[in-house]
Amino acid sequence: MIVHMTNGTADFLKKLADKYPNKQIWLMHSDTNSLAYYEDNEKSIFVSGRDYDILLKSGEIQEEGYVVMNNIPVTEEGQPVFEDQFRKRKHDVENMPGFQAFRLLKPKKGNTYIVFTQWQSVKDFENWKNSDQFKQSHKNQSAKPPDYFAERPFLTTYQMFVEEE
């Protein structure tokens, strides 16, 4: 399965989603931009977008919620180690209250993986970050990033776009 994403204005992305009613396109927005996201196995409908392979998946993306994308640049030689660590991970996040969906996304181009999680609310995500389960799942991470990180990871967050009736 492939994930297709593109950024743009909310109005432009809404028109794009309306143009393809046969695609389940999720629209999200942040303070600075909007994002369109969908999953399938076909060529992307986006002219300038980004494509990712879904390596790991749990839960189903919901129409409402809070999305956190941990963008992690990984060196080419570090990719097998990084992917293996995720395959061996505990699944504590899936058992947290408010959890909706998880995806580990490998870029088709470039080196920045995305760890995608969706939560019912910001509070649910914060509860995860402050939980013993989070500390346990991240206990082997030192203050120094792993050698396979090409650059420092960064978070992007979005609220799902809910159309008002």
Side-chain angles (χ1 to χ4, degrees):
M1 187 72 76
I2 300 170
V3 165
H4 309 282
M5 288 188 235
T6 194
N7 295 87
T9 65
D11 288 341
F12 173 77
L13 296 177
K14 175 73 175 96
K15 287 177 188 168
L16 188 61
D18 290 344
K19 184 177 174 182
Y20 295 94
N22 60 329
K23 302 265 185 214
Q24 173 62 65
I25 300 175
W26 289 282
L27 301 178
M28 309 169 201
H29 65 274
S30 70
D31 291 338
T32 57
N33 67 23
S34 294
L35 177 105
Y37 173 111
Y38 75 98
E39 303 173 349
D40 71 9
N41 284 315
E42 299 173 15
K43 185 179 182 312
S44 178
I45 59 171
F46 302 141
V47 174
S48 62
R50 300 168 306 286
D51 298 324
Y52 300 83
D53 286 321
I54 299 176
L55 298 183
L56 299 170
K57 171 182 177 175
S58 66
E60 295 301 323
I61 297 173
Q62 304 297 310
E63 292 290 329
E64 295 183 27
Y66 179 68
V67 172
V68 178
M69 295 186 196
N70 191 357
N71 301 267
I72 306 173
V74 178
T75 63
E76 188 174 341
E77 59 275 5
Q79 290 178 1
V81 174
F82 178 78
E83 292 173 17
D84 189 56
Q85 285 181 337
F86 264 92
R87 284 190 179 89
K88 291 178 179 173
R89 74 183 174 84
K90 288 186 171 183
H91 294 269
D92 290 335
V93 68
E94 286 95 334
N95 298 318
M96 290 298 295
F99 170 82
Q100 294 176 313
F102 164 86
R103 305 288 187 272
L104 176 60
L105 306 177
K106 180 179 183 174
K108 293 276 198 183
K109 292 181 183 170
N111 67 345
T112 302
Y113 285 70
I114 295 178
V115 179
F116 173 110
T117 55
Q118 185 187 36
W119 302 88
Q120 286 178 351
S121 68
V122 174
K123 185 177 185 327
D124 290 320
F125 172 68
E126 292 298 327
N127 288 342
W128 159 245
K129 274 190 2 187
N130 296 317
S131 71
D132 290 338
Q133 294 91 331
F134 180 89
K135 291 176 185 116
Q136 186 69 22
S137 68
H138 293 84
K139 73 178 179 185
N140 294 329
Q141 294 179 356
S142 62
K144 180 181 177 285
D147 289 337
Y148 54 75
F149 280 14
E151 299 169 41
R152 200 158 191 62
F154 61 95
L155 287 182
T156 51
T157 60
Y158 297 91
Q159 287 288 339
M160 298 300 285
F161 178 78
V162 179
E163 200 165 0
E164 289 149 22
E165 312 240 340

